[in-house]
């Protein structure tokens, strides 16, 4: 029980519907986390890793049907369908609540219902939000304890009267008397519902125990409900990393960036610059909440307290800071287990072991065709364990943003870096952000561009056209000289032999360096029909071993390719039922510039 009457009432209501055997209020202590991990190990759902190799760490293996966010089962429930817009699944709130009420009835039988008070953002920040998640999953409690400020710190504020968002989560796998549990309880796909109620600011998730479906502070609260609140209140809840960059002269720049999945977002958030004397520090790797302050500048906080990163592909080469972060006190999900009791995944340091236990708990021998770690296998780790975490990452005021990057995976057409002419042109660049569909995704659209405006397509809690209008209107909160500058970046351009033209990773600091000199007005850009590009001689390329002609190709604006791009953007804009007029104007202006070039 708490001292908040409304909270107690809600907990009691949910308990009388779901009928758990016990109710447990989480305090967020280290002892509590250790106790819960030990319980999961004892009941066979968690595997303790070798304390000599990976102290304080545990591995979980999910049900094969529950391995990722399920967009098809994710709903925005508003009174009117057009408020959810053309890109979200929609259901009327009353209809959804009736379905969920039936599903939740008795669904926690034989289990403990955990009450998780939590805070998104530093507890003392005016930008932060409080919430309470009810769940019957100890795995969720353990992860929420890493990803959020969880337990007594949050409950105290809620008891003092802070508003809280109700987040209800259930696995949908009750246990009858004497019934043996399974390692990863969940409900079948057709019973999974990840539902959001922006009008009443509630989240109800049923049937999945995995990641974004179940750790409700992340995508559900910080992005979907968050973006809807942000529109109402005049701020931005974005799918963006936040990076602190210091040049050799000691000048500091804060850059945030929207990147769709599989474009190296966490790697960029933890970049180790190859340019001598430059320092990069991490403020956030996935989500930014941003408000204009009284000084007219845009300030960002990272609402999360940890990283839920993709393990596959992470190594000391691609992301040494992530590798160091997960050396201890880490929860791993769906990666492989070595005979020594450590974890393994694709491209991790060292040779491929002869034998592993794969993510489904089966023997795996070198040469077997299957992948031992799931490609969406994850690590959950506290941000404070990251060697590159910025000393001021929890500043309650946030950090002042100088530049916003939007970057996709584009083998052709889009140059290495392109500065927008102004704010509205930057929003246009964000609205057409996209990645080429590769063979990594099962799709009949290989080679086509999948557009993902500001990487928010799966995460906007309201109509995507209104979302872009909100970005356009935010400019009124400031003046052109104080607004962050917006840049499109593309680390993935390829040549005719299908080789990458740009080395990426730490060498992306060379692009960031040019951006900082543009911010200071130190360097001129080349005006092109698509935006402002660097002169080749203004990019610091010393020590790079680029292919002949690579820079020319990386900075090329091919009129034919851009005409095809125009057609593709027009096609994309057709899906909007509420395309802001300003974006239609931007498209027209681009066409005119291309035609007169
Ligand atoms: O599959 C999931 O549930 C995780 S999705 C995710 C996790 C961390 C950061 N970003 C994402 C994403 O889908 O953008
Ligand atoms: Mn993300």
């Amino acid at each position: 029980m708490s001292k908040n009457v409304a909270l107690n009432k809600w907990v009691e209501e949910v308990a009388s519907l779901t009928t758990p055997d016990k109710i447990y209020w989480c305090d967020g202590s280290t002892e509590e986390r250790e106790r819960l991990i030990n319980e999961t190990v004892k009941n066979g759902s968690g595997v303790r890793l070798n304390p000599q190799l990976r102290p304080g760490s545990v591995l979980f293996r999910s049900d094969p049907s529950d391995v990722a966010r399920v967009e098809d089962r994710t709903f925005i429930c508003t009174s009117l369908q057009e408020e959810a817009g053309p890109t979200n699944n929609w259901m009327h709130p009353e209809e959804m609540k009736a379905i969920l009420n039936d599903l939740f009835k008795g669904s926690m039988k034989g289990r403990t219902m955990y009450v998780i008070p939590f805070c998104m953002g530093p507890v003392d920040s005016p930008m932060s939000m409080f919430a309470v998640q009810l769940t019957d999953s100890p795995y969720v409690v353990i992860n929420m304890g890493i990803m959020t400020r969880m337990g007594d710190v949050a409950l105290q504020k809620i008891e003092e009267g802070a508003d809280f968002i109700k987040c209800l989560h259930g696995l949908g796998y009750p246990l009858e008397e004497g019934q043996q549990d399974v390692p990863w309880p969940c409900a079948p796909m057709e019973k999974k519902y990840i539902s959001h109620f922006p009008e009443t600011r509630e989240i109800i998730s049923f049937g999945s125990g995995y990641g974004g479906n179940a750790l409700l502070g992340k995508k559900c609260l910080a992005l979907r409900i968050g973006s809807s609140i942000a529109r109402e209140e005049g701020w931005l809840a974005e799918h963006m990393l936040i990076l602190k960059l210091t040049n050799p002269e000691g000048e500091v720049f804060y850059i945030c960036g929207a990147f769709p999945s599989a474009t190296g977002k966490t790697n960029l958030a933890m970049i180790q610059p190859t340019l001598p004397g430059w320092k990069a520090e991490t403020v956030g790797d996935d989500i930014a909440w941003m408000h204009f302050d009284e000084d007219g500048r845009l300030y960002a906080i990272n609402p999360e307290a940890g990283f839920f990163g993709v393990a596959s592909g992470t190594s000391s080469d691609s992301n040494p800071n992530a590798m160091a972060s997960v050396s201890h006190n880490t929860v791993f999900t769906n990666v492989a287990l070595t005979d020594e009791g450590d974890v393994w995944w694709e491209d991790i340091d060292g040779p491929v072991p002869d034998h592993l236990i794969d993510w489904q708990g089966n023997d795996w021998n070198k040469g077997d065709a299957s992948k031992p770690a799931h490609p969406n296998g994850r690590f959950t780790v506290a941000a404070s364990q990251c060697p590159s975490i910025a000393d001021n990452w929890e500043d309650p005021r946030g950090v002042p943003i100088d530049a916003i990057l939007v970057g996709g995976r584009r083998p052709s057409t889009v140059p290495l870096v392109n500065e927008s002419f102004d704010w509205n042109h930057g929003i246009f660049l964000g609205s057409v952000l996209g990645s080429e569909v590769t063979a990594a995704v099962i799709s009949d659209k290989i080679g086509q561009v999948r557009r993902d405006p500001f990487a928010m397509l799966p995460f906007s809690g309201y109509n995507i056209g209104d979302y872009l209008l909100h970005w356009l209107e935010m400019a009124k909160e400031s003046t052109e000289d104080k607004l962050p500058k917006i840049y499109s970046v593309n680390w993935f351009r390829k040549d005719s032999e299908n080789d990458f033209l740009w080395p990426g990773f730490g060498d992306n600091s060379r692009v960031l360096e040019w951006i900082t000199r543009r911010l200071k007005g130190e360097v001129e850009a080349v005006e092109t029909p698509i935006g402002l590009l660097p002169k080749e001689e203004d990019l610091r390329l010393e020590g790079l071993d680029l292919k002949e002609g690579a820079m020319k190709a990386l900075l090329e604006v091919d009129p034919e390719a851009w005409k095809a791009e125009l057609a593709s953007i027009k096609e994309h804009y057709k899906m909007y039922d509420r395309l802001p007029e300003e974006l239609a104007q931007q498209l027209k202006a681009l066409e005119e510039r291309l035609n007169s070039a």
Side-chain angles (χ1 to χ4, degrees):
M1 291 278 273
S2 76
K3 291 184 202 139
N4 185 307
V5 178
L7 173 58
N8 295 342
K9 188 166 168 275
W10 177 55
V11 171
E12 277 162 24
E13 272 166 23
V14 173
S16 70
L17 176 70
T18 59
T19 65
D21 285 5
K22 272 189 282 183
I23 300 176
Y24 175 82
W25 290 69
C26 301
D27 62 24
S29 63
T30 316
E31 298 74 50
E32 178 182 81
R33 185 184 306 168
E34 272 306 295
R35 197 172 63 242
L36 283 172
I37 291 177
N38 287 337
E39 279 172 27
T40 61
V41 172
K42 209 164 153 210
N43 76 17
S45 71
V47 178
R48 252 306 158 193
L49 296 174
N50 183 335
Q52 250 82 55
L53 302 173
R54 215 52 80 163
S57 302
V58 61
L59 164 66
F60 291 89
R61 300 185 187 109
S62 80
D63 187 89
S65 70
D66 199 24
V67 292
R69 288 189 297 105
V70 282
E71 291 181 13
D72 285 357
R73 308 297 308 164
T74 299
F75 294 83
I76 302 295
C77 305
T78 45
S79 309
L80 298 174
Q81 181 163 9
E82 56 262 40
E83 289 305 315
T87 57
N88 283 313
N89 298 315
W90 173 84
M91 205 184 286
H92 191 280
E94 280 170 19
E95 194 186 339
M96 180 62 92
K97 287 216 171 147
I99 293 174
L100 289 168
N101 202 59
D102 278 354
L103 287 170
F104 270 98
K105 222 169 265 168
S107 70
M108 295 189 187
K109 197 170 171 221
R111 301 195 179 277
T112 299
M113 183 173 87
Y114 300 90
V115 183
I116 313 175
F118 66 99
C119 178
M120 297 309 290
V123 177
D124 51 352
S125 170
M127 296 190 208
S128 295
M129 269 193 249
F130 294 91
V132 178
Q133 178 164 348
L134 306 182
T135 181
D136 54 355
S137 163
Y139 168 86
V140 164
V141 179
I142 294 162
N143 280 270
M144 287 291 285
I146 298 174
M147 294 304 294
T148 73
R149 281 90 177 165
M150 186 265 260
D152 288 347
V153 280
L155 185 61
Q156 197 186 325
K157 296 280 183 186
I158 293 169
E159 289 185 329
E160 286 166 11
D163 281 343
F164 67 94
I165 293 176
K166 293 175 183 168
C167 306
L168 170 57
H169 171 250
L171 295 168
Y173 197 101
L175 291 171
E176 295 307 324
E177 200 69 42
Q179 185 184 343
Q180 181 64 37
D181 205 354
V182 292
W184 186 278
C186 62
M189 193 58 90
E190 68 279 6
K191 287 194 177 164
K192 293 190 207 299
Y193 288 92
I194 323 301
S195 56
H196 306 74
F197 302 85
E199 288 156 0
T200 49
R201 300 188 179 180
E202 292 169 274
I203 299 159
I204 308 182
S205 169
F206 185 87
S208 166
Y210 199 88
N213 305 329
L215 313 179
L216 301 186
K218 193 174 180 57
K219 303 297 180 180
C220 299
L221 196 166
L223 289 178
R224 298 197 190 94
I225 293 295
S227 62
S228 161
I229 296 176
R231 174 174 63 154
E232 276 171 49
E233 296 181 350
W235 51 279
L236 295 159
E238 295 302 322
H239 190 201
M240 288 185 180
L241 62 83
I242 312 169
L243 183 67
K244 177 179 183 180
L245 203 59
T246 308
N247 69 14
E249 292 73 49
E251 291 167 296
V252 174
F253 304 86
Y254 291 97
I255 295 177
C256 60
F259 293 82
S261 55
T263 50
K265 190 169 164 201
T266 298
N267 294 346
L268 182 61
M270 299 180 190
I271 187 176
Q272 289 195 340
T274 51
L275 279 181
W278 283 77
K279 185 175 176 190
E281 293 162 89
T282 313
V283 178
D285 83 323
D286 196 38
I287 300 176
W289 282 355
M290 302 188 282
H291 296 57
F292 282 102
D293 212 332
E294 272 142 23
D295 63 4
R297 298 197 62 191
L298 187 62
Y299 284 78
I301 61 161
N302 169 8
E304 301 191 278
F307 308 125
F308 187 63
V310 179
S312 227
T314 305
S315 69
S316 296
D317 279 341
S318 67
N319 194 336
N321 285 315
M323 287 304 287
S325 307
V326 303
S327 64
H328 62 290
N329 293 351
T330 303
V331 175
F332 296 93
T333 308
N334 286 351
V335 301
L337 180 69
T338 68
D339 293 350
E340 295 74 38
D342 200 2
V343 283
W344 191 91
W345 54 77
E346 218 76 20
D347 295 336
I348 196 173
D349 307 340
V352 179
D354 289 331
H355 175 262
L356 292 162
I357 303 294
D358 74 9
W359 68 276
Q360 292 182 290
N362 300 319
D363 282 309
W364 180 92
N365 294 297
K366 200 170 175 175
D368 283 359
S370 63
K371 295 245 187 275
H374 190 279
N376 195 37
R378 298 271 165 174
F379 54 78
T380 321
V381 68
S384 58
Q385 285 190 196
C386 181
S388 64
I389 200 74
D391 53 357
N392 58 340
W393 77 282
E394 297 189 280
D395 187 335
R397 190 185 185 194
V399 295
I401 298 299
D402 297 290
I404 297 173
L405 312 184
V406 296
R409 185 180 273 272
R410 295 296 304 268
S412 67
T413 316
V414 177
L416 179 63
V417 56
N418 175 19
E419 181 182 306
S420 63
F421 296 121
D422 55 25
W423 180 261
N424 285 1
H425 181 234
I427 308 308
F428 172 73
L429 294 181
S431 79
V432 300
L433 176 62
S435 281
E436 189 161 294
V437 179
T438 64
V441 177
I442 302 160
S443 170
D444 54 359
K445 301 210 168 89
I446 291 172
Q448 287 183 25
V449 178
R450 178 177 288 160
R451 307 271 169 195
D452 185 357
F454 284 99
M456 278 291 279
L457 208 61
F459 305 121
S460 177
Y462 60 102
N463 189 304
I464 194 76
D466 292 344
Y467 163 82
L468 292 171
L469 182 65
H470 180 56
W471 263 101
L472 292 162
E473 287 182 339
M474 285 302 290
K476 292 184 200 138
E477 305 290 320
S478 183
T479 48
E480 192 68 36
D481 59 318
K482 290 195 176 137
L483 286 169
K485 281 193 190 299
I486 304 178
Y487 296 81
S488 139
V489 294
N490 177 22
W491 321 130
F492 300 96
R493 190 109 174 211
K494 288 182 167 178
D495 64 13
S496 53
E497 283 154 350
N498 213 28
D499 289 331
F500 287 111
L501 287 164
W502 183 249
F505 300 105
D507 286 315
N508 293 336
S509 58
R510 298 167 191 270
V511 173
L512 302 179
E513 192 264 357
W514 179 77
I515 290 174
T516 61
R517 280 191 294 139
R518 283 293 296 161
L519 293 172
K520 293 203 291 171
E522 279 182 4
V523 62
E524 279 186 7
V526 183
E527 187 163 342
T528 77
I530 64 162
L532 304 167
L533 269 62
K535 294 180 193 160
E536 185 174 331
E537 64 267 29
D538 286 333
L539 281 170
R540 297 259 315 264
L541 303 175
E542 69 270 21
L544 279 186
D545 185 19
L546 297 175
K547 273 190 173 179
E548 178 83 32
M551 279 321 297
K552 193 165 171 291
L554 283 162
L555 300 176
E556 165 192 58
V557 181
D558 173 357
E560 287 318 304
W562 273 91
K563 284 184 185 151
E565 183 76 2
L566 263 183
S568 149
I569 295 171
K570 281 183 189 164
E571 200 51 41
H572 164 64
Y573 273 4
K574 273 191 199 156
M575 68 139 191
Y576 288 79
D577 57 349
R578 296 182 181 174
L579 180 72
E581 178 51 31
E582 175 58 33
L583 294 182
Q585 296 283 347
Q586 287 285 338
L587 180 61
K588 194 160 160 257
L590 171 63
E591 184 158 30
E592 282 165 10
R593 290 193 301 268
L594 285 167
N595 285 338
S596 55

